[in-house]
Amino acid sequence: MTDTDTFPHPVYKDTVLAPLFEGVKTHYAGHMMAINKAHLVMLQEEQILGTEDARQIAQTLTSIETETDPDALTYTGEHEDYFFFVEAELKRHLGDLGGALHTARSRNDMDHTQFKLALQSRTETLIAQLHGLGAAMLDKAQVEKTTLITAWTHGQPAQPTTFGHYLAAALEVLLRDITRLEAAAEGLDHCPMGAAAITTSGFPINRARMADLLGFSEPLLNSYGCIASVDYVTGLYSAIKLTFLHLGRLIQDMQFWSAFEVGQLHVPDALVQISSIMPQKRNPVPIEHMRHLASMTCGRAEAVITTMHNTPFTDMNDSEGEVQQGGYAAFDSAMRCAALLTAFIPAMTINEDRVRANMNAACVTITELADTLVRDEGLTFREAHEVAASVAKEVIAMGQGLEAGYEAFADAFRAQTGRETALGQQSFLEAVSPEGFIARRDRPGGPALPALETAFAIYARDQADLRLKQDARLTRRASAAETLKSAFNSLKEA
């Protein structure tokens, strides 16, 4: 007899079955045991199994759980996978009765149930971590609500705003990302158990009871979809990918702002590395680590999503085992990135002297001068734009800021309109000051303090609402775990 005559083939064993066995040991052994206990309770409650048979199986499951250390197991090929290892242990203790536990179920519905259970815990941890990041953003935005920064568009200085206003924009995106993750978490909250292989079972199973015992909100209704519709995977990893794609843009701004030539962002020494050869260097290396962790998260999430592309709408290994385990790396890099960013945001500060220098050099308040001319001088915006453009061109050529540009303004106004301006020098200075620019923009979503304070209250409310959703899920699952423990122990002692 050759190697190809017996199962498993040595190469198949080493390349597929052994790694899968290791993955189950690491990620799913506990979830599989929970499914075994819940299924046994349901079978007895529905009188599909007698009380005495169920009691013996319950006692044996407890012995297996107590005596077996999954980490100490080595895959030998004696059993196809971890499921059959557990079933073999049941049969070793109980004989044929050990096979009764598998009545009215399949590895198909078990697999997707344990995949969901494994994803639930990781998703809740990530969501909680992102709530922490959101809280850090809101706290920092409130602290920096009047701190001036230069806003950039197309890589060029554009207008003044505040650091609080900028962080509020980033927080809005994060809250929408958490909302998408919340929707994905709801997709994980429907139980596949009872679907069996494809079409449910000829036994009078109670799918709702299985969902309750395992902490799900309800069964996933269509049994075919329970084993074929892996949108719980693609939806989740899409939401993760978008979250860290968006955070990566924020992180890239930090890299740009901290550049010596810009100097808008100051990174404290605790988050700076030095050069081994150049004494003058202050390298904000954590920003680079956050950027690559965000990108790695996007790539790892995309790898899972792409694996589902053009796969058949049925049970398939493309959505199971190694693919599920491979996706967990996305959670790892995501959580590292979120943790570092949560620490980084409160620590960073704005270099206000450099901000003002950049504002003066780039004439970023010139839009308000044009607006003032429309309001106070009755010009059309296009006329006002021409006057303002002339002033900006002149003061930049002189190497001065707008505060030195009143004469250039008066000349440009006269040339454009054929009359003298009624705008005095003091009014001109108010129009081109960053503080005046921001104070004028007291519209919903604007950077003026009243508008920003209103926005902060909305963000705090939205954060609280999202936290309540998660708290409700976690409370329900904790209660379900206690219910399962009590029901299983009662059965064991019956």
Side-chain angles (χ1 to χ4, degrees), residues 374 379-387 416:
V374 173
L379 273 61
T380 67
F381 183 77
R382 190 50 55 203
E383 289 176 311
H385 187 278
E386 290 299 322
V387 173
Q416 179 68 33

Side-chain angles (χ1 to χ4, degrees), residues 58-138:
Q59 291 176 342
T60 305
L61 282 175
T62 300
S63 296
I64 293 172
E65 185 177 28
T66 303
E67 297 168 5
T68 303
D69 177 9
D71 291 338
L73 297 175
T74 300
Y75 186 69
T76 64
E78 180 183 357
H79 309 293
E80 180 179 322
D81 58 18
Y82 192 85
F83 165 82
F84 281 117
F85 164 78
V86 174
E87 186 169 272
E89 287 294 294
L90 283 168
K91 289 181 178 180
R92 184 169 68 84
H93 287 83
L94 298 171
D96 288 342
L97 179 60
L101 180 60
H102 203 53
T103 304
R105 71 179 190 182
S106 166
R107 279 186 298 174
N108 293 4
D109 57 351
M110 290 180 67
D111 278 349
H112 286 287
T113 301
Q114 63 191 21
F115 295 154
K116 283 190 171 184
L117 290 170
L119 286 170
Q120 281 176 358
S121 58
R122 289 171 171 83
T123 300
E124 300 299 353
T125 300
L126 178 58
I127 289 174
Q129 198 165 19
L130 292 174
H131 277 306
L133 174 58
M137 282 185 180
L138 181 56

Side-chain angles (χ1 to χ4, degrees), residues 273-283:
Q273 291 182 215
I274 61 171
S275 167
S276 65
I277 186 173
M278 295 170 282
Q280 86 285 5
K281 293 292 295 295
R282 295 184 82 254
N283 299 323

